[in-house]
Amino acid sequence: AHSRDLKVILDFVPNHSSDRHKWFQASKASRDNDHRDWYIWTDAASDGGPPNNWLSMFGGSAWEWDEATGQYYLHTFLKEQPDVNWRNPQLQEAMLDAMRFWLDRGVDGFRVDVVYALIKDVLFRDEAPDPDFQQGGDPYNSIQHIYSLNRPEVHDVLRRMRGVLDEYPDRMMVGETSHQSEEYARYYGKNLDECQLPFNFRLLTLPWSAQNVHNAVEEYEAVLPPGAWPNWVLGNHDQPRIASRLGPEQARVAQMMLLTLRGTPTCYYGDEIGMADVDIPEEQLQDPFGLRVPGLGLGRDPERTPMQWDGLPNAGFTSGKPWLPLGDNYRQVNVEVAQKDDRSMLALFQVLTELRRETPALNRGSYRALDSGNDKVFAYLREHGGITLLVALNFDEQSCNLDLHDAGAEGHVLISTHLDRNGPLSLQHIQLRPNEGIVARLA
């Protein structure tokens, strides 16, 4: 990968291990085993039940009874995924050594799983009910998570992780954080000594409108610590795909925005060709979340189907049986077909990434929002070294006319989401077609 000028980032899962891991097997062997405190064990409540009301993110109690040793162990996710105890110094050193093992092999960094859950309340206090919870929603949200998530001590752990990364040249850490701006901004660290990129998931679940997105971007830019580098995420393995969430036309607008906002973009596999969610028959469901909490549509299988490379059986992903079925459209929506269409989603993605790579205004320039005079349009400027680019995105199914003369008099359209337009642009008379975004260089 390095010979092709590609960086390699590994997924690092420090919150839990498998219940088959040798550490946990030793931990559950007896209460006086050297590894007992490497996991989170505690006595039953006075009635013999779980020690508190904490819930698993995948349904039910977060506590599992171990008959052999007469205590409960904590699992934020499945009972087969016991939480490790980051308050134990030996466990901490073992985890940091695991990072060094991979860094010594040359990996360029880590995407660190659920960083906000690594430390739990030492007193195991009950969570209060969440007053905003509505029946029919995810049961996990029925309580607040003040004592089981986002504990202040987690930042000490992340500083230690960052310290390990800093032992090596040019390494980085992406942290999977929560969805609240004021929370994930703290994961940069007061002195920018934690995650270089705490994942910014704000756009994953935001109701899609120009005004909502504009407000979210402004809010995020405002809470970033001085000197912090932003990042944006529009799709991942836990949320419906962009093309299903927004429709294929707005998916192109979203892709243009992702690749032109200030900061590092994260693109989920398949979104660059417009893959959509796949309806999975009940008998083929795999995701434990959906299986344990049925009927609420919380399963994540639809966005986890195999990458669609070509029109061959199994979309060229495997010669064996894939773990999930493919979408009915895989013969039309795949990389091979997209590479032959100069107006495909993939073509748009490639043109945008090339423009981003070669244009300092996009890959490192400043960001400034514009008042477009139309609440269906999100417009902003990217500037660096005397070069100014205008990005104007129409979130509506209707065409519109804009007057952005305050940004200048004229410009030149470099790219449209429709991939059929370039040339002179008057900023007093900007015409955007339905679901169209443009990038223009200003005079």
Side-chain angles (χ1 to χ4, degrees):
H2 284 174
S3 72
R4 295 172 180 264
D5 198 26
L6 295 171
K7 304 292 187 181
V8 178
I9 297 172
L10 293 189
D11 196 24
F12 184 57
V13 185
N15 179 73
H16 48 271
S17 78
S18 167
D19 63 351
R20 301 183 187 183
H21 195 287
K22 62 181 181 181
W23 294 351
F24 187 70
Q25 290 297 310
S27 181
K28 67 181 290 193
S30 68
R31 289 201 187 191
D32 59 2
N33 188 279
D34 290 343
H35 282 72
R36 183 68 171 184
D37 195 43
W38 284 37
Y39 293 81
I40 300 175
W41 296 89
T42 193
D43 294 331
S46 57
D47 62 359
N52 62 27
N53 68 345
W54 294 1
L55 298 175
S56 161
M57 291 190 188
F58 289 165
S61 172
W63 297 95
E64 183 72 12
W65 177 251
D66 179 56
E67 190 68 39
T69 59
Q71 282 189 315
Y72 281 91
Y73 69 83
L74 181 69
H75 58 93
T76 299
F77 298 94
L78 298 174
K79 65 181 177 63
E80 294 86 1
Q81 297 171 307
D83 285 30
V84 300
N85 180 15
W86 273 90
R87 296 184 185 275
N88 180 289
Q90 289 76 37
L91 180 280
Q92 278 203 27
E93 287 304 320
M95 283 291 192
L96 298 178
D97 282 344
M99 295 177 70
R100 291 187 181 97
F101 172 86
W102 292 107
L103 291 166
D104 287 341
R105 292 181 68 99
V107 303
D108 299 286
F110 301 96
R111 174 265 188 194
V112 186
D113 196 55
V114 292
V115 296
Y116 56 95
L118 298 186
I119 293 286
K120 285 79 176 177
D121 179 47
V122 70
L123 300 177
F124 302 125
R125 285 171 283 189
D126 274 344
E127 300 283 12
D130 190 324
D132 296 327
F133 178 70
Q134 297 182 350
Q135 290 298 322
D138 183 350
Y140 182 73
N141 296 327
S142 64
I143 59 173
Q144 300 180 49
H145 302 285
I146 296 171
Y147 299 118
S148 56
L149 302 179
N150 288 308
R151 300 301 298 161
E153 304 95 319
V154 76
H155 299 284
D156 296 329
V157 171
L158 288 171
R159 280 190 289 272
R160 292 206 66 189
M161 288 185 177
R162 176 64 177 272
V164 170
L165 287 163
D166 289 346
E167 295 170 9
Y168 300 78
D170 197 25
R171 310 298 169 95
M172 59 86 72
M173 177 166 60
V174 180
E176 185 192 19
T177 57
S178 63
H179 286 227
Q180 301 302 316
S181 298
E182 65 277 8
E183 289 181 359
Y184 52 62
R186 289 199 289 267
Y187 285 86
Y188 284 98
K190 292 181 179 178
N191 299 309
L192 301 184
D193 54 359
E194 297 180 34
C195 300
Q196 283 98 336
L197 296 177
F199 264 142
N200 170 9
F201 292 136
R202 189 72 180 91
L203 299 180
L204 279 176
T205 56
L206 190 72
W208 191 252
S209 73
Q211 197 60 52
N212 284 344
V213 172
H214 169 267
N215 292 343
V217 175
E218 293 293 298
E219 174 191 284
Y220 179 61
E221 288 279 353
V223 300
L224 281 174
W229 184 247
N231 72 95
W232 296 97
V233 181
L234 272 173
N236 73 4
H237 63 294
D238 290 329
Q239 299 294 334
R241 285 190 173 275
I242 299 171
S244 294
R245 202 162 76 234
L246 309 181
E249 294 85 6
Q250 275 298 305
R252 297 173 75 100
V253 173
Q255 203 66 257
M256 176 172 279
M257 184 181 73
L258 176 69
L259 293 168
T260 57
L261 281 174
R262 189 174 82 94
T264 296
T266 297
C267 180
Y268 184 51
Y269 83 92
D271 285 348
E272 74 274 34
I273 63 170
M275 279 178 60
D277 290 351
V278 177
D279 290 330
I280 310 297
E282 186 174 351
E283 65 276 9
Q284 293 182 266
L285 293 173
Q286 302 289 336
D287 182 15
F289 188 18
L291 293 171
R292 285 170 58 89
V293 189
L296 297 181
L298 300 175
R300 300 162 297 175
D301 289 323
E303 60 263 26
R304 296 182 172 190
T305 56
M307 179 66 183
Q308 296 170 190
W309 293 103
D310 55 38
L312 296 174
N314 299 328
F317 185 87
T318 177
S319 58
K321 182 181 180 181
W323 72 98
L324 287 169
L326 292 151
D328 293 337
N329 68 348
Y330 81 88
R331 289 184 177 86
Q332 294 79 42
V333 180
N334 63 59
V335 174
E336 185 177 59
V337 168
Q339 287 177 329
K340 298 174 181 176
D341 179 359
D342 58 10
R343 293 187 184 178
S344 68
M345 172 70 95
L346 181 59
L348 174 65
F349 186 84
Q350 291 172 329
V351 171
L352 283 167
T353 51
E354 183 177 354
L355 180 65
R356 178 188 177 85
R357 187 179 301 114
E358 66 186 21
T359 311
L362 287 181
N363 62 46
R364 71 194 69 176
S366 64
Y367 156 87
R368 179 163 63 93
L370 293 174
D371 181 3
S372 69
N374 186 320
D375 62 5
K376 306 294 186 181
V377 174
F378 179 30
Y380 48 92
L381 299 179
R382 300 295 314 283
E383 299 174 279
H384 182 83
I387 302 299
T388 301
L389 297 187
L390 164 70
V391 182
L393 307 169
N394 186 0
F395 282 58
D396 197 25
E397 296 181 352
Q398 303 293 324
S399 61
C400 66
N401 296 310
L402 305 177
D403 180 355
L404 298 178
H405 70 273
D406 287 346
E410 58 185 27
H412 186 93
V413 176
L414 301 177
I415 179 177
S416 160
T417 49
H418 296 344
L419 293 177
D420 63 352
R421 173 184 181 187
N422 58 59
L425 178 72
S426 168
L427 271 64
Q428 286 183 301
H429 305 287
I430 299 175
Q431 294 182 321
L432 293 178
R433 290 168 290 179
N435 303 300
E436 183 183 28
I438 61 168
V439 180
R441 178 170 174 169
L442 304 189

